[in-house]
Amino acid sequence: MFVPTGETPPSFKSYTFILPAVSVGNVGQLATDLIISTLQLPKVGYFHTDALIPMVGNNPYATSAENANELSTNAEVYSSKELKLAVLQIRAPILQTKTKEFRKSIVSWMKSSGFSKTVLLSSSHAYQRDDQQLQGTPLRFLLSPTLQEGASARIKELGWREMEKVCAFPGISDSEKKLYIPGGGVTRALYNDCCNEDVPMAVLLTFCSEGDNIPDAFALANYLNDWLHLLSTPAEASPQWNAPASWKLLFGSGIPPAIF
Amino acid sequence: MATFFGEVLSVYSRAVEEDDRDDEDGENEEDVEIRRELEEKRKVHLKWCSEECQAIEENSDKKRLCSHLVIAVGTNAAGFVSAFILNSASWHRVGWLSVWNERSRGSGPMPAPPAPGEPGCVIYQQKDDDSVLICQCTCYVAEDQLFQWTEQLFMCLQKRGLTVTVLSDVPVAEYKTPDYIHGSDVPFLRALSTSAYKGGVICPFVEQPNIVTGLPAAVLCHCQVHGIPAVLYQNYSDVIGADSYTMEAYRLAVSSTKGIKLDPPSTDVLQEFTKVSDIHGNLYT
């Protein structure tokens, strides 16, 4: 459930809502970090739920000593009135037994907030690609039926590739096709929920493997920016994203000198 | 995933579980019933002693007044509280949280409070001053029980005037820093506090990119969202068992808490709390 930081709950009517899926390589979450950190979005509330594993830390987007020690929780909402943008950052895994409740609470909140559209940033296992998917860009999109009308023209202009459906029974080419997003966490289920409930949702995902996923995060953030223009960029140049302070020491502490 | 040498290996993701199965499709009634029974067994319950129950009933909002709640999580935090605070005769048990999971003994939740020395979550109060509560948690609380544990505890406490202090042990191996930590620097404290907490802290704050998980995280999350002043002191130590030097590190954290009198124990008493980590026998004796 959404709990505002201030006395008055903010209004998100007609805002664009961006959220990550906890998926392979944590790419969606890393891309969301880039968005919040670069646009310096203020925190407007918490998504307080028993569906996520608890964690806290101090401010991952600290810009000075004064704001460095503000407490951050496992799911927080950031927003910009000027950009009409709301972003939910999820920092912990979803409990296996509570994925259905989590999806339900997210969809319910999306509907009651009146977002004009939702963008889910996600990823999928690169090793599960078929022969066709190995060629070309690893970036894919999906649009729920309600968003088709509003967004498909622009998506077509950008020349994006829609996420391919796979055969329900591999090897039998004339079997029914279904959506399969291995390593995508709740992506497929949340997308299906939004299709069924007429929620305008776009899924932007990239194929990747676990490892140093920072380049994947930048690629996904650029992909999103090509569509939504969150950052104004001069022609032919890449957007300048700011990595947050929390991206230090991603692969462990300093090396003990005693081992040499 | 196929490797260069032609083997097929499983791929593990740090973010998600392997299977992407459809929810509850193909689950029969028996599976649903087993799942429901297991969920029931894993529920966390807060039980007060009879006098405490009566006192809570008498309050108009059925909540207990408390000015300070101290939660001690981990062997050394619990050991510090036992040796330095609870050792005096003025503290008695007023309640406990019943927690059952895969690491608990027995096949189900125990109806009685844990015996002294048994893992559990026990709440203490002073006989002549009920404004301070101490919750000593020495059992494992599973990830899916953390939120419930916190809700159960705070549901019974009045939010107004409440301040929370959490003491928690953490292995120093989990501490991320660009510089190597020498043995002489350990144990050390790091703090985190909610926005509503206006008191000072007695050590540096937890630096990025370190995070806090488990029961301390669940408590701090709850306090942050509900505007309750709370401070956490994480004690980074390289000792796995009870250790008097690690326990001593918590002294400053509670020395200025009103209503708590620290009673430094004698060496004999301290040895009682640390003797569990003595080596009873090994290859060389």
Side-chain angles (χ1 to χ4, degrees):
Chain A
M1 113 199 146
F2 176 70
V3 178
T5 46
E7 293 287 329
T8 346
S11 166
F12 297 124
K13 196 130 176 63
S14 312
Y15 278 33
T16 297
F17 178 48
I18 298 176
L19 79 158
V22 181
S23 56
V24 57
N26 303 100
V27 178
Q29 294 159 286
L30 292 171
T32 306
D33 261 350
L34 284 174
I35 296 166
I36 298 168
S37 173
T38 309
L39 298 174
Q40 289 182 26
L41 301 178
K43 183 172 14 181
V44 298
Y46 310 96
F47 202 81
H48 194 51
T49 169
D50 63 347
L52 295 173
I53 296 174
M55 63 71 65
V56 290
N58 59 21
N59 187 4
Y61 313 116
T63 48
S64 66
E66 283 78 35
N67 63 23
N69 299 319
E70 287 167 10
L71 194 75
S72 260
T73 65
N74 54 6
E76 295 180 318
V77 181
Y78 299 78
S79 164
S80 160
K81 220 170 169 176
E82 294 75 30
L83 292 169
K84 294 196 90 173
L85 181 67
V87 181
L88 168 66
Q89 177 58 301
I90 300 172
R91 302 192 172 98
I94 304 169
L95 285 163
Q96 284 259 301
T97 49
K98 296 215 185 284
T99 50
K100 202 168 182 181
E101 285 99 327
F102 181 72
R103 280 171 12 227
K104 222 168 144 178
S105 61
I106 285 275
V107 172
S108 161
W109 183 58
M110 278 169 11
K111 285 163 92 169
S112 64
S113 300
F115 295 119
S116 63
K117 63 180 173 292
T118 297
V119 182
L120 179 64
L121 300 176
S122 180
S123 54
S124 182
H125 280 306
Y127 80 96
Q128 292 258 12
R129 288 175 293 176
D130 63 24
D131 294 340
Q132 265 197 316
Q133 289 169 327
L134 284 170
Q135 322 271 353
T137 173
L139 297 157
R140 296 289 186 276
F141 80 94
L142 282 167
L143 292 178
S144 71
T146 333
L147 193 53
Q148 294 273 359
E149 208 187 295
S152 39
R154 177 66 187 138
I155 302 281
K156 203 168 167 181
E157 255 176 57
L158 289 166
W160 283 2
R161 270 173 86 164
E162 189 166 6
M163 182 65 176
E164 299 88 344
K165 289 198 166 141
V166 299
C167 297
F169 302 101
I172 303 172
S173 57
D174 56 355
S175 65
E176 181 198 331
K177 298 265 190 189
K178 63 168 193 172
L179 194 58
Y180 181 51
I181 309 178
V186 295
T187 304
R188 187 176 64 98
L190 192 54
Y191 170 72
N192 286 337
D193 288 345
C194 289
C195 290
N196 295 336
E197 302 214 28
D198 299 325
V199 174
M201 171 184 266
V203 177
L204 266 54
L205 66 88
T206 178
F207 292 114
C208 70
S209 301
E210 291 269 337
D212 180 0
N213 297 106
I214 292 175
D216 302 303
F218 275 91
L220 192 61
N222 287 337
Y223 192 52
L224 173 72
N225 196 55
D226 286 343
W227 176 30
L228 295 184
H229 300 298
L230 298 172
L231 284 194
S232 49
T233 357
E236 305 301 321
S238 303
Q240 293 300 305
W241 299 103
N242 293 335
S246 56
W247 282 21
K248 293 188 302 201
L249 303 175
L250 281 178
F251 300 102
S253 289
I255 301 167
I259 67 171
F260 298 113
Chain B
M1 177 176 79
T3 69
F4 178 79
F5 301 103
E7 314 150 290
V8 176
L9 298 176
S10 297
V11 171
Y12 295 101
S13 163
R14 66 185 176 239
V16 285
E17 294 291 325
E18 189 56 64
D19 66 41
D20 177 28
R21 62 182 174 87
D22 292 321
D23 287 327
E24 284 95 48
D25 284 357
E27 264 205 355
N28 60 33
E29 267 184 42
E30 201 184 334
D31 289 340
V32 169
E33 184 56 29
I34 291 171
R35 200 183 291 281
R36 197 201 57 78
E37 275 177 13
L38 200 55
E39 260 181 48
E40 199 53 46
K41 267 164 75 168
R42 292 175 74 87
K43 271 192 180 155
V44 179
H45 298 280
L46 173 54
K47 298 180 202 253
W48 295 105
C49 301
S50 47
E51 298 104 353
E52 207 48 42
C53 273
Q54 215 174 346
I56 292 173
E57 277 299 310
E58 283 163 14
N59 290 338
S60 56
D61 57 1
K62 309 281 185 252
K63 286 181 195 253
R64 201 196 175 287
L65 272 171
C66 175
S67 68
H68 210 114
L69 170 66
V70 176
I71 303 175
V73 183
T75 318
N76 285 295
F80 164 77
V81 157
S82 294
F84 285 72
I85 306 173
L86 303 179
N87 211 29
S88 84
S90 64
W91 291 86
H92 68 294
R93 184 181 65 210
V94 291
W96 55 290
L97 286 127
S98 151
V99 178
W100 182 88
N101 53 52
E102 58 279 1
R103 290 201 203 173
S104 310
R105 261 183 253 169
S107 58
M110 302 298 222
E118 289 270 308
C121 301
V122 185
I123 304 171
Y124 298 90
Q125 170 196 295
Q126 285 182 103
K127 290 177 179 140
D128 51 4
D129 178 7
D130 61 359
S131 65
V132 179
L133 288 177
I134 293 185
C135 177
Q136 204 184 27
C137 186
T138 48
C139 68
Y140 171 69
V141 183
E143 281 170 346
D144 60 314
Q145 295 173 314
L146 293 169
F147 190 93
Q148 241 193 88
W149 188 102
T150 311
E151 294 282 298
Q152 284 288 308
L153 179 59
F154 282 89
M155 201 164 71
C156 298
L157 302 177
Q158 250 210 41
K159 219 173 80 169
R160 196 170 35 90
L162 173 65
T163 303
V164 179
T165 300
V166 185
L167 309 175
S168 158
D169 302 340
V170 185
V172 74
E174 289 181 14
Y175 185 71
K176 289 203 188 127
T177 170
D179 311 310
Y180 175 64
I181 298 177
H182 295 275
S184 54
D185 299 334
V186 175
F188 59 88
L189 289 185
R190 287 293 183 269
L192 264 182
S193 63
T194 61
S195 314
Y197 182 78
K198 303 295 178 204
V201 294
I202 52 114
C203 61
F205 281 95
V206 170
E207 300 94 337
Q208 281 291 341
N210 294 288
I211 58 168
V212 173
T213 56
L215 205 46
V219 171
L220 240 64
C221 251
H222 178 98
C223 293
Q224 177 72 354
V225 169
H226 292 93
I228 300 172
V231 64
L232 159 70
Y233 290 105
Q234 292 247 103
N235 191 352
Y236 290 90
S237 156
D238 54 4
V239 182
I240 32 172
D243 167 63
S244 56
Y245 191 50
T246 307
M247 287 182 204
E248 281 268 358
Y250 287 115
R251 272 180 92 149
L252 274 178
V254 289
S255 56
S256 54
T257 305
K258 205 166 151 230
I260 292 184
K261 185 169 157 287
L262 288 181
D263 195 9
S266 64
T267 318
D268 292 337
V269 169
L270 208 48
Q271 269 180 352
E272 277 297 310
F273 291 104
T274 55
K275 73 175 181 187
V276 286
S277 59
D278 285 350
I279 300 169
H280 293 291
N282 58 35
L283 283 174
Y284 307 105
T285 59

